[in-house]
Amino acid sequence: MLRFQCDYQEGAHPSILKKMKETNYEQTAGYGNDPYCESARKKIRRLCNAPEADVHFLVGGTQTNFTVISAILRPYQGALAAVSGHINVHETGAIEATGHKVLALPSEDGKITAAQVREAYEAHWNDADHEHIVQPGMVYISHPTENGTLYAKEELQALSRTCRELGLPLFLDGARLGYGLMAEKSSLGLTDIAELTDVFYIGGTKVGALFGEAVVITNPALKKDFRYLIKQHGGMLAKGRLLGIQFDVLFTDNLYFDIAKGADELAMRLKAAFLEKGYGLRYDSYTNQQFPILPNEHLGKLKEKYSYGFWEVVDDSHSAVRFCTSWATKKEAVDALIADIEAL
Amino acid sequence: MLRFQCDYQEGAHPSILKKMKETNYEQTAGYGNDPYCESARKKIRRLCNAPEADVHFLVGGTQTNFTVISAILRPYQGALAAVSGHINVHETGAIEATGHKVLALPSEDGKITAAQVREAYEAHWNDADHEHIVQPGMVYISHPTENGTLYAKEELQALSRTCRELGLPLFLDGARLGYGLMAEKSSLGLTDIAELTDVFYIGGTKVGALFGEAVVITNPALKKDFRYLIKQHGGMLAKGRLLGIQFDVLFTDNLYFDIAKGADELAMRLKAAFLEKGYGLRYDSYTNQQFPILPNEHLGKLKEKYSYGFWEVVDDSHSAVRFCTSWATKKEAVDALIADIEAL
Amino acid sequence: MLRFQCDYQEGAHPSILKKMKETNYEQTAGYGNDPYCESARKKIRRLCNAPEADVHFLVGGTQTNFTVISAILRPYQGALAAVSGHINVHETGAIEATGHKVLALPSEDGKITAAQVREAYEAHWNDADHEHIVQPGMVYISHPTENGTLYAKEELQALSRTCRELGLPLFLDGARLGYGLMAEKSSLGLTDIAELTDVFYIGGTKVGALFGEAVVITNPALKKDFRYLIKQHGGMLAKGRLLGIQFDVLFTDNLYFDIAKGADELAMRLKAAFLEKGYGLRYDSYTNQQFPILPNEHLGKLKEKYSYGFWEVVDDSHSAVRFCTSWATKKEAVDALIADIEAL
Amino acid sequence: MLRFQCDYQEGAHPSILKKMKETNYEQTAGYGNDPYCESARKKIRRLCNAPEADVHFLVGGTQTNFTVISAILRPYQGALAAVSGHINVHETGAIEATGHKVLALPSEDGKITAAQVREAYEAHWNDADHEHIVQPGMVYISHPTENGTLYAKEELQALSRTCRELGLPLFLDGARLGYGLMAEKSSLGLTDIAELTDVFYIGGTKVGALFGEAVVITNPALKKDFRYLIKQHGGMLAKGRLLGIQFDVLFTDNLYFDIAKGADELAMRLKAAFLEKGYGLRYDSYTNQQFPILPNEHLGKLKEKYSYGFWEVVDDSHSAVRFCTSWATKKEAVDALIADIEAL
């Protein structure tokens, strides 16, 4: 069985394991106060061109999302997000468990627009009874989105301008950030993202690490006491250096970017094969997640050799599914899959 | 600098890193649904003599504590715990953040008694206004305690009997469980703990793993939907097999027990050296944490070569401090420390 | 200015004030443990034909909603509700503040169907990743709805059957229950509601009382320790007898039903006048809230003498608005309004 | 049976009921946006000499406490309070239910000192692991305390100075404020309290109203969006004018102060009778709550004619109990009680 189901089915890039082994008996302070975390922080600040940013390392995405969001919002505020946003659908209500409503905005492709944010904001404040309604307190976006789509630079600029005008911090969930940055259609670099958002994170779990997300806080107002929140929410790893080591390795010799680029290229080959075969695409993704629409009959055959994720029923005889590549996907696996698609 | 400050300053037992490397490119399902987790679960059930137990793997101790406690309690209930319990003092209010009060009971050495539990229970229900007071809903203990002390078998049996009589689930925090099980004075084995509690966990972070805590739920009433809570609280590791691999290795060839025993033995040598030197002990610990009371002058000298944890001021010229050994502590480091103590 | 803006702009039915005055110097126990509360409970149980029901008195609707919902749900569960449900839009996220997501179902008129509930339930449990998604744990409906519409008996029976089959407690928000029960189109009586739901409340605030909602719990599984939750959520009135007195008076000599019926009849006269004038209706309400669609120009004129609630923009020149009657609305006010409508 | 058990066993001062009746059919806006609330706000601002203060009316004390505290604290912060503080013992964990720990300070008489606050603050910030500990974020005091005791002016000044120096907002729970202000030993007036605290409330429930607490926010930083929190926490009364009317009446012609003074004088007569009889006093209270220590045998006799509150066991044959007077206590009742005490 060759698995294309998700982008977290292998371990970590071997350089990471190697470094863990080399440093295994070193004694360091716990909780992120070690030289590896410090080194990784410096590299990230440099890459982001954000020398004043605070950088924190957390273990996973859901944890990072609710920790950041609970740091930003007042108790009666909610987070504006696409209806398909990870926080709205796939975190078992973790945001609500911290007391906050996710204010879902309609979205076809996983993105939201500056205009939608403004409209929601104005609808709230124009309501005579606004005190009876959850107040929009921030904006959450994912890049790439859960559908593999990307914000163009102008789109993120517009969102950023609107958010700053309205006083809404902009938080970018970068669980798959690498795959977004390195996509052939990408118009956004790390420095753009650091400049245009108030806080974002660089996903490690899905891009080469065993686990780990690097939170970058550029807005000074959001920095205060953030470590208390990490600890309270169970995100402060005792052996914090494990996170530092991983990000330090990933940001050495361009590794993070190179492995993400490789995964994107394999995904583009898959996409081409789907299109070649005449399949439709549920979303037009240029990143490592691809969402072709296949005849159920074809899916039945592929299933014998490949795993993929079911996405949604399209009609009686077709389904949208998800194929993911990752830093660990082998060229041979993609070759085999493409050959089998062509042969269907 | 030789560090005795805590028991999480190194990486993991090399067998764990080896296994991670060997399995690195295997593709497995995420979120704990992989063969390594399944294998580790089986071994733990067998060691606990609890074939029906549910076993879940979480990342860290604070996370495990608030996940378990929020699974047990109704919104108006609290957890009875020693005033010195980890949940009461060192988790940044994580329990309260899930809505529950920690009902602190006085304790000199970190332990609480069956009599205290009964008294607190009766005080609640005898109060005419009990609906205005947080209802005791469970009991939390740590073993070993935060002070290195241990429950004797009869003490845990008494607690267990009382808890069952009163309908209060008993939760044992085993962040350092290995060091307790293997202590020379230990009268409790894994099977006793599984039998006498409703839920407990076997700490990995401090006993040989990179990270990870194995929760064992023996009370059927507490099993339902536990994975939802893990996910909601950010404890469901995407690459869950990393936890499975670690516990699988730890429970192969007695590794967990052997390394814990080694650490305890080194700690006993330290304890003997402290006593030999005429130092008092803040707590009478037989586990890997030792709490000697030293003249500040001596501490000043040791500080040049050794790190330890400050515990509390005893008088103008003396302080209680904490020295920890762990699975990773080297015999040579202990030899050196003992020699330097003798020379003071 | 004659106000038709809402149904809580006057005080209370004079019988209530009279009784408060008469009993003012009596000394009674606090927190609902007084003879007036006990008498009101008995009357409510009898009217509901639910001799075993628990009856509690709370102060307001939002408070009642989040207290009941937090009593029912486990931390990872949410409440299925119409997207227009009061808990989803007009309670400043009070449900989320207790940690629970409102699982919004589409609705045109404020009602939801048994089929929608079943579909949401099955969608959840059929999802392979259901542990990553908020679990539907109950169903919330309002009757009358926020749009003045009513469930027919067969509709509520179908909802009840489905909820019981699926193990989802059904909670009916009866903030305006009286107006629903007495509507000319009503097919549901108090005994039906008590039989078909697990818990519901009889609204006092909007139907003749100064304030107060009477919660009726018929499902034994939901009764335990409910008073703790009332207290914790700030709903336990010290002088609880004020609630008992009010409901005792309301359920003496059919008062609650008579005053609700009067308000409905006045609303029906208004509705007839709107239709007569050729206005459309946003919702087809047979209760005390009416939602006509008027030319903005006409609204501008009415505004000089009458207050009403703005509902939504319909097109460039028309708006939907809300006119409410209540137990306190005077026939003369309705006559005047109708005359002025006719004259537009 | 003459009841001295608590200070909320009767209705309201007759002037309040009279005003409610007079205004019953007036139509006003809801949620506190009516002329009666506005008038009461003005009077309170004037009495407090705080023309810029925000004044909000809530329904009850527990609700007020958790609404104010959740408005002040960040998620990882707790409230410093006397171990006997109402929020710590008699609110069913309402503060914890909003996510915050109550940081209990030892207290013999219900009061805490500036030195204790400073010590707790410094202990936190001096701890190397302070991020693992709940951060002190504010100070809660009650005046009079739950034990009937009073802060002297210098004590409150010291607390206020310390709190301002340390950046900890000071919140005064004035559920029984009237009885404190009018006590013969009182050295604090309303203007002092407004000046020395950041937010406090003037209790109505226990001092002449049917219900209601008037929150006065003097610290501008705490004013923002407070009405959202009131609504979210179920404290925004639909017919808000009921609160406005009550406080407007209470602050007309000195009523609030006069009735409180009357209750205090009756309490002082009781205190004198207890002392005369040779009983000890559990606390030296000059307010409407008195805590004599009686032989159980005497209590048994008094019980036949009088209700009182049990406080605590003192020894095998003695108990501390609570006798309360209130605005509604009749001189004749006190005469009778005193006569019966003398006769014991």
Side-chain angles (χ1 to χ4, degrees):
Chain A
M1 173 73 67
L2 293 171
R3 301 178 77 102
F4 289 90
Q5 192 158 11
C6 65
D7 34 19
Y8 40 89
Q9 48 205 8
E10 291 92 357
H13 192 276
S15 315
I16 284 176
L17 293 183
K18 185 162 165 284
K19 188 75 171 188
M20 280 192 184
K21 193 176 166 194
E22 286 168 14
T23 59
N24 192 46
Y25 281 100
E26 286 181 21
Q27 295 190 313
T28 56
Y31 305 118
N33 297 317
D34 63 273
Y36 296 102
C37 284
E38 204 38 47
S39 169
R41 282 188 194 103
K42 275 184 193 150
K43 289 178 179 169
I44 289 171
R45 285 193 200 102
R46 203 176 318 124
L47 284 162
C48 293
N49 194 21
E52 305 296 325
D54 276 5
V55 180
H56 301 278
F57 302 109
L58 283 86
V59 176
T62 294
Q63 181 183 82
T64 304
N65 285 334
F66 69 73
T67 302
V68 170
I69 289 173
S70 71
I72 296 176
L73 297 178
R74 296 264 294 141
Y76 50 86
Q77 293 181 322
L80 290 166
V83 67
S84 53
H86 205 258
I87 57 168
N88 196 42
V89 286
H90 273 109
E91 303 189 351
T92 323
I95 305 307
E96 289 82 3
T98 66
H100 301 288
K101 194 179 187 78
V102 179
L103 301 166
L105 300 174
S107 171
E108 280 306 307
D109 61 356
K111 298 196 289 180
I112 54 173
T113 66
Q116 283 182 290
V117 168
R118 183 179 300 277
E119 187 186 11
Y121 180 90
E122 289 177 352
H124 178 80
W125 290 102
N126 289 339
D127 194 307
D129 287 331
H130 57 79
E131 292 154 346
H132 296 232
I133 301 172
V134 175
Q135 187 185 99
M138 63 174 288
V139 174
Y140 164 96
I141 57 173
S142 15
H143 180 84
T145 67
E146 296 73 11
N147 303 327
T149 55
L150 290 172
Y151 286 89
K153 193 165 183 173
E154 317 78 69
E155 291 172 329
L156 191 63
Q157 285 171 329
L159 266 170
S160 181
R161 257 196 319 272
T162 300
C163 285
R164 284 174 189 173
E165 179 192 334
L166 305 178
L168 301 173
L170 177 59
F171 168 38
L172 183 148
D173 171 340
R176 294 186 172 93
L177 189 58
Y179 303 125
L181 294 171
M182 303 311 292
E184 63 180 65
K185 287 262 180 172
S186 169
S187 55
L188 283 166
L190 257 187
T191 54
D192 299 314
I193 287 168
E195 187 194 322
L196 297 171
T197 66
D198 296 273
V199 50
F200 71 102
Y201 66 97
I202 304 172
T205 302
K206 291 167 179 166
V207 195
L210 292 170
F211 56 85
E213 320 294 319
V215 176
V216 182
I217 309 180
T218 53
N219 182 337
L222 307 180
K223 293 176 179 176
K224 191 155 184 283
D225 292 338
F226 194 77
R227 280 172 57 85
Y228 283 87
L229 285 160
I230 300 177
K231 176 63 187 169
Q232 185 182 62
H233 289 316
M236 193 172 279
L237 199 63
K239 299 178 180 177
R241 76 180 190 205
L242 299 174
L243 292 158
I245 287 169
Q246 294 186 84
F247 281 99
D248 198 49
V249 169
L250 287 171
F251 290 115
T252 298
D253 295 338
N254 224 39
L255 181 62
Y256 186 76
F257 306 101
D258 289 346
I259 61 179
K261 194 175 178 196
D264 282 345
E265 287 170 354
L266 293 174
M268 287 301 94
R269 288 188 51 214
L270 275 182
K271 182 177 182 177
F274 294 134
L275 290 171
E276 184 79 12
K277 187 73 183 178
Y279 297 153
L281 297 173
R282 181 66 184 82
Y283 310 105
D284 188 26
S285 163
Y286 291 84
T287 60
N288 75 313
Q289 301 182 88
Q290 293 297 322
F291 300 87
I293 297 169
L294 272 77
N296 294 339
E297 189 184 351
H298 289 192
L299 283 172
K301 282 190 192 134
L302 286 178
K303 212 182 207 164
E304 294 163 18
K305 287 175 59 184
Y306 304 95
S307 87
Y308 51 80
F310 172 77
W311 199 256
E312 66 186 26
V313 170
V314 171
D315 62 33
D316 277 2
S317 58
H318 291 77
S319 303
V321 295
R322 185 180 74 162
F323 282 85
C324 294
T325 61
S326 82
W327 63 275
T329 306
K330 291 188 166 50
K331 185 183 165 304
E332 296 71 30
V334 173
D335 290 343
L337 173 55
I338 290 175
D340 283 329
I341 290 167
E342 287 169 352
L344 281 169
Chain B
M1 172 76 64
L2 293 170
R3 302 177 77 101
F4 289 89
Q5 192 159 9
C6 65
D7 34 20
Y8 40 90
Q9 48 206 8
E10 291 91 357
H13 191 275
S15 316
I16 284 175
L17 292 183
K18 186 162 165 283
K19 187 77 172 187
M20 281 193 181
K21 193 177 167 191
E22 286 168 15
T23 59
N24 191 45
Y25 279 101
E26 286 181 22
Q27 295 190 313
T28 57
Y31 304 118
N33 298 317
D34 63 273
Y36 296 102
C37 283
E38 203 38 46
S39 168
R41 283 187 193 104
K42 275 183 192 150
K43 289 178 179 168
I44 289 171
R45 285 193 199 103
R46 203 176 318 125
L47 284 163
C48 293
N49 193 23
E52 305 296 326
D54 277 5
V55 180
H56 301 277
F57 302 109
L58 282 88
V59 176
T62 294
Q63 182 183 81
T64 303
N65 284 335
F66 69 74
T67 301
V68 169
I69 289 172
S70 71
I72 295 176
L73 296 179
R74 297 263 293 141
Y76 50 87
Q77 293 181 322
L80 291 166
V83 67
S84 53
H86 206 258
I87 57 169
N88 195 42
V89 286
H90 273 109
E91 303 189 353
T92 323
I95 305 305
E96 289 80 4
T98 66
H100 301 289
K101 195 179 187 75
V102 178
L103 301 166
L105 301 174
S107 171
E108 281 305 307
D109 61 356
K111 299 197 289 179
I112 54 173
T113 66
Q116 283 182 292
V117 168
R118 183 180 299 277
E119 187 186 9
Y121 179 91
E122 290 178 350
H124 178 81
W125 290 102
N126 289 338
D127 194 306
D129 287 332
H130 57 79
E131 293 155 345
H132 297 232
I133 302 171
V134 176
Q135 187 185 99
M138 63 175 288
V139 173
Y140 163 96
I141 57 174
S142 15
H143 180 84
T145 68
E146 296 74 11
N147 303 326
T149 55
L150 291 171
Y151 285 89
K153 192 164 183 171
E154 316 79 68
E155 291 172 330
L156 191 62
Q157 284 171 330
L159 266 171
S160 182
R161 257 196 319 273
T162 299
C163 285
R164 284 174 187 173
E165 180 193 332
L166 305 179
L168 300 173
L170 177 59
F171 169 39
L172 183 147
D173 171 337
R176 294 186 171 93
L177 189 58
Y179 303 124
L181 295 171
M182 304 311 291
E184 63 179 67
K185 287 264 181 170
S186 168
S187 55
L188 283 167
L190 256 187
T191 55
D192 299 315
I193 287 169
E195 187 194 322
L196 296 172
T197 67
D198 296 274
V199 50
F200 71 101
Y201 66 98
I202 304 172
T205 301
K206 292 169 179 166
V207 195
L210 291 171
F211 57 86
E213 320 294 318
V215 176
V216 182
I217 310 180
T218 52
N219 182 337
L222 306 181
K223 293 178 180 176
K224 191 155 185 282
D225 292 337
F226 194 78
R227 280 173 56 85
Y228 283 88
L229 285 160
I230 299 177
K231 175 63 186 168
Q232 185 181 62
H233 289 316
M236 192 172 279
L237 199 64
K239 299 178 179 175
R241 76 179 189 205
L242 299 174
L243 292 159
I245 287 168
Q246 293 186 85
F247 280 99
D248 199 48
V249 169
L250 287 171
F251 289 114
T252 298
D253 294 338
N254 224 40
L255 181 60
Y256 186 76
F257 305 102
D258 289 345
I259 60 179
K261 194 175 176 195
D264 282 345
E265 286 169 356
L266 294 175
M268 287 302 95
R269 287 188 53 214
L270 275 182
K271 183 178 183 178
F274 294 135
L275 290 171
E276 184 80 11
K277 186 72 182 181
Y279 297 154
L281 298 173
R282 181 64 185 83
Y283 309 105
D284 188 25
S285 162
Y286 291 83
T287 61
N288 75 313
Q289 302 183 88
Q290 294 296 322
F291 300 87
I293 297 169
L294 273 75
N296 294 340
E297 191 184 349
H298 289 192
L299 284 171
K301 281 188 193 140
L302 288 177
K303 214 182 206 166
E304 293 163 18
K305 287 175 60 183
Y306 306 95
S307 86
Y308 51 80
F310 172 77
W311 198 256
E312 65 186 25
V313 170
V314 171
D315 62 34
D316 277 2
S317 58
H318 291 76
S319 303
V321 295
R322 184 180 75 162
F323 282 85
C324 294
T325 61
S326 82
W327 62 275
T329 306
K330 291 188 166 51
K331 184 182 164 302
E332 296 71 29
V334 173
D335 290 342
L337 174 55
I338 290 176
D340 282 330
I341 290 167
E342 286 168 354
L344 282 169
Chain C
M1 172 76 65
L2 293 171
R3 301 177 78 100
F4 289 89
Q5 192 158 9
C6 65
D7 35 19
Y8 40 89
Q9 48 206 8
E10 291 92 357
H13 191 276
S15 314
I16 284 175
L17 293 183
K18 184 161 167 283
K19 187 74 172 191
M20 281 194 183
K21 192 176 168 192
E22 286 168 13
T23 60
N24 191 47
Y25 280 101
E26 287 181 21
Q27 295 190 313
T28 57
Y31 305 118
N33 297 317
D34 64 90
Y36 296 103
C37 283
E38 204 37 48
S39 168
R41 283 188 193 104
K42 276 185 191 148
K43 288 178 179 168
I44 288 172
R45 285 192 200 103
R46 203 177 315 125
L47 284 163
C48 293
N49 193 23
E52 305 296 325
D54 276 6
V55 180
H56 300 278
F57 302 109
L58 282 86
V59 176
T62 293
Q63 182 183 82
T64 303
N65 285 334
F66 69 74
T67 301
V68 169
I69 289 172
S70 71
I72 295 176
L73 296 179
R74 297 265 291 141
Y76 50 87
Q77 295 181 321
L80 291 165
V83 67
S84 54
H86 205 259
I87 58 168
N88 196 42
V89 286
H90 273 109
E91 303 189 352
T92 322
I95 304 306
E96 290 81 4
T98 67
H100 302 288
K101 194 178 186 75
V102 178
L103 300 165
L105 300 173
S107 171
E108 280 306 306
D109 62 355
K111 299 197 289 179
I112 54 173
T113 67
Q116 283 182 292
V117 167
R118 183 180 299 278
E119 187 185 11
Y121 179 90
E122 291 177 352
H124 178 81
W125 290 102
N126 290 338
D127 194 306
D129 287 331
H130 57 78
E131 293 154 346
H132 297 232
I133 302 171
V134 175
Q135 186 185 100
M138 62 174 290
V139 174
Y140 164 95
I141 58 173
S142 17
H143 180 84
T145 69
E146 296 74 10
N147 302 327
T149 55
L150 291 172
Y151 285 89
K153 191 166 185 171
E154 315 81 66
E155 291 172 328
L156 191 62
Q157 284 170 330
L159 266 171
S160 181
R161 257 195 319 273
T162 299
C163 284
R164 283 173 188 173
E165 179 193 332
L166 305 179
L168 300 173
L170 177 59
F171 168 38
L172 184 147
D173 171 339
R176 292 186 172 94
L177 190 58
Y179 302 125
L181 295 171
M182 304 312 291
E184 63 179 67
K185 287 262 180 170
S186 168
S187 55
L188 283 166
L190 256 186
T191 56
D192 299 314
I193 286 168
E195 187 195 321
L196 297 171
T197 65
D198 296 274
V199 49
F200 71 100
Y201 65 96
I202 304 171
T205 302
K206 291 167 179 167
V207 195
L210 291 170
F211 56 87
E213 320 294 319
V215 177
V216 182
I217 309 179
T218 54
N219 182 337
L222 307 181
K223 291 177 180 176
K224 191 154 184 281
D225 293 338
F226 194 77
R227 281 172 56 85
Y228 283 86
L229 285 160
I230 300 177
K231 176 62 187 169
Q232 185 182 62
H233 289 315
M236 192 172 278
L237 200 65
K239 298 178 179 175
R241 77 180 190 205
L242 298 174
L243 292 158
I245 287 168
Q246 293 185 85
F247 281 98
D248 199 50
V249 168
L250 286 171
F251 289 114
T252 298
D253 295 336
N254 224 39
L255 180 62
Y256 186 76
F257 305 101
D258 289 346
I259 61 179
K261 194 175 177 194
D264 282 344
E265 286 170 354
L266 293 175
M268 288 300 95
R269 289 188 51 215
L270 275 182
K271 183 178 182 176
F274 294 134
L275 289 172
E276 183 80 10
K277 186 73 184 178
Y279 297 153
L281 298 173
R282 181 64 184 84
Y283 309 105
D284 188 26
S285 162
Y286 291 83
T287 59
N288 75 313
Q289 301 183 88
Q290 294 296 322
F291 299 86
I293 298 169
L294 273 77
N296 294 339
E297 187 185 355
H298 289 193
L299 283 172
K301 280 189 193 139
L302 287 178
K303 213 182 206 167
E304 294 163 17
K305 288 175 58 183
Y306 305 95
S307 86
Y308 50 81
F310 172 77
W311 198 256
E312 65 186 26
V313 170
V314 171
D315 62 31
D316 277 2
S317 59
H318 291 77
S319 303
V321 295
R322 185 179 76 162
F323 282 85
C324 295
T325 61
S326 81
W327 63 275
T329 306
K330 292 190 166 50
K331 185 183 166 303
E332 296 71 29
V334 174
D335 290 342
L337 174 55
I338 290 176
D340 282 328
I341 290 167
E342 288 169 351
L344 281 170
Chain D
M1 172 75 66
L2 293 171
R3 300 178 77 101
F4 289 90
Q5 192 159 8
C6 66
D7 35 19
Y8 40 88
Q9 49 205 7
E10 290 92 355
H13 192 276
S15 315
I16 284 176
L17 293 183
K18 185 161 166 284
K19 187 76 173 187
M20 281 193 183
K21 192 176 168 192
E22 286 168 14
T23 59
N24 192 47
Y25 280 101
E26 286 181 21
Q27 295 190 314
T28 56
Y31 305 118
N33 297 318
D34 63 274
Y36 295 103
C37 283
E38 205 36 49
S39 168
R41 283 188 194 104
K42 275 185 192 150
K43 289 178 179 170
I44 288 170
R45 284 192 200 102
R46 203 177 316 124
L47 284 163
C48 293
N49 192 24
E52 304 297 324
D54 276 6
V55 179
H56 301 278
F57 302 109
L58 282 87
V59 176
T62 294
Q63 181 182 83
T64 303
N65 285 334
F66 69 73
T67 301
V68 169
I69 289 172
S70 72
I72 295 176
L73 296 179
R74 297 265 291 141
Y76 50 86
Q77 294 181 321
L80 291 166
V83 67
S84 54
H86 205 259
I87 57 168
N88 195 42
V89 286
H90 273 109
E91 302 188 353
T92 323
I95 304 306
E96 289 81 4
T98 66
H100 302 288
K101 195 178 186 75
V102 178
L103 302 166
L105 300 174
S107 171
E108 280 306 305
D109 61 356
K111 299 198 289 181
I112 54 173
T113 66
Q116 283 182 292
V117 167
R118 183 180 299 277
E119 187 187 10
Y121 180 90
E122 290 178 352
H124 177 81
W125 290 102
N126 289 339
D127 194 307
D129 287 332
H130 56 79
E131 293 155 345
H132 297 232
I133 302 172
V134 176
Q135 186 184 99
M138 63 175 288
V139 174
Y140 163 96
I141 57 173
S142 15
H143 180 84
T145 68
E146 297 74 11
N147 302 326
T149 55
L150 290 172
Y151 285 89
K153 192 165 183 172
E154 316 80 67
E155 292 172 329
L156 190 63
Q157 284 170 330
L159 267 171
S160 181
R161 256 196 320 271
T162 299
C163 285
R164 283 172 190 175
E165 179 193 333
L166 305 178
L168 301 172
L170 177 59
F171 169 38
L172 183 148
D173 171 339
R176 294 186 171 95
L177 190 58
Y179 303 125
L181 295 171
M182 304 312 290
E184 63 180 66
K185 286 263 180 168
S186 169
S187 55
L188 284 166
L190 256 186
T191 55
D192 299 314
I193 287 169
E195 186 195 322
L196 296 171
T197 67
D198 296 274
V199 48
F200 71 100
Y201 65 97
I202 304 172
T205 302
K206 292 167 178 167
V207 195
L210 291 171
F211 57 87
E213 320 295 319
V215 177
V216 181
I217 309 179
T218 53
N219 181 336
L222 307 180
K223 292 178 180 176
K224 189 155 186 282
D225 293 337
F226 194 78
R227 280 173 57 87
Y228 283 86
L229 285 160
I230 300 176
K231 176 62 187 170
Q232 185 182 63
H233 289 317
M236 192 173 278
L237 200 64
K239 298 179 179 175
R241 78 180 189 203
L242 299 173
L243 291 158
I245 287 169
Q246 293 186 85
F247 281 98
D248 198 50
V249 168
L250 287 171
F251 290 115
T252 298
D253 295 339
N254 223 39
L255 181 60
Y256 186 76
F257 305 101
D258 289 346
I259 61 180
K261 193 174 178 195
D264 282 345
E265 287 169 355
L266 293 174
M268 288 301 96
R269 288 188 51 215
L270 275 182
K271 183 178 182 178
F274 294 134
L275 290 171
E276 182 82 10
K277 186 72 182 181
Y279 298 153
L281 296 173
R282 181 64 185 83
Y283 309 105
D284 188 26
S285 162
Y286 291 83
T287 60
N288 75 313
Q289 301 182 89
Q290 293 296 321
F291 299 86
I293 298 169
L294 273 76
N296 294 338
E297 189 185 352
H298 288 193
L299 283 172
K301 280 190 191 136
L302 286 178
K303 212 183 206 166
E304 294 163 18
K305 288 176 58 182
Y306 305 95
S307 86
Y308 51 81
F310 172 77
W311 199 256
E312 66 186 26
V313 170
V314 171
D315 62 33
D316 277 4
S317 58
H318 290 77
S319 302
V321 296
R322 185 180 74 163
F323 282 85
C324 294
T325 61
S326 82
W327 63 274
T329 305
K330 290 187 166 53
K331 185 182 165 303
E332 296 72 28
V334 173
D335 290 342
L337 173 55
I338 290 176
D340 282 328
I341 290 167
E342 288 169 352
L344 282 169

